[in-house]
Amino acid sequence: MPTIVHFDIPADDSERAKNFYSRLFGWKFEKPLETMDYYLIETEGPKGESGPGGGLRKREGADQRIMNYIGVPSVDEYLEKVEKLGGRVLMPKTAIPGWGNLAICMDTENNAFGLWQDEEKSE
């Protein structure tokens, strides 16, 4: 069943936001690429189990909010479902090389959410 697999938090001040969330929840931050102002977030559930991963990045607009990404087996398939059910596609399927594919949608209540499909790894 599809579930939240990733979230992105926009921040005006990345260092301030990292300090807040690490002190509040104990989240760990890692910068995967030195050339980007983007940090991966590692979370844990209440019993120490691995939680959904996240990201922290520079806010791109005043109205930008936290975005949840739902893991699905096929972004293409779910984009069709979104439109059939009355939602809208705000950003079409976009490849993130080495990671997977994502798309941004709007539900029937004007809430934005993302779809995420992991890249298939060849063995």
Side-chain angles (χ1 to χ4, degrees), residues 30-97:
E30 174 190 342
K31 192 167 190 174
L33 298 171
E34 221 25 68
T35 58
M36 291 177 57
D37 186 16
Y38 189 83
Y39 297 86
L40 292 175
I41 303 170
E42 180 183 324
T43 71
E44 288 184 0
K47 298 177 183 169
E49 72 278 15
S50 182
L56 177 78
R57 64 188 175 113
K58 187 77 174 159
R59 184 180 311 278
E60 295 175 3
D63 62 342
Q64 187 178 8
R65 303 287 179 243
I66 292 174
M67 175 74 67
N68 290 306
Y69 291 85
I70 313 301
V72 296
S74 168
V75 167
D76 292 322
E77 176 185 329
Y78 277 81
L79 287 176
E80 284 183 33
K81 287 182 177 185
V82 164
E83 291 183 321
K84 282 182 185 175
L85 294 169
R88 293 183 292 139
V89 175
L90 301 178
M91 184 182 88
K93 179 179 172 182
T94 302
I96 308 299

Side-chain angles (χ1 to χ4, degrees), residues 10-32:
D12 295 319
D13 181 324
S14 296
E15 290 303 314
R16 182 178 63 207
K18 284 174 27 189
N19 182 51
F20 176 82
Y21 285 109
S22 64
R23 292 178 65 196
L24 180 63
F25 298 127
W27 290 354
K28 297 176 180 88
F29 293 82
E30 174 190 342
K31 192 167 190 174

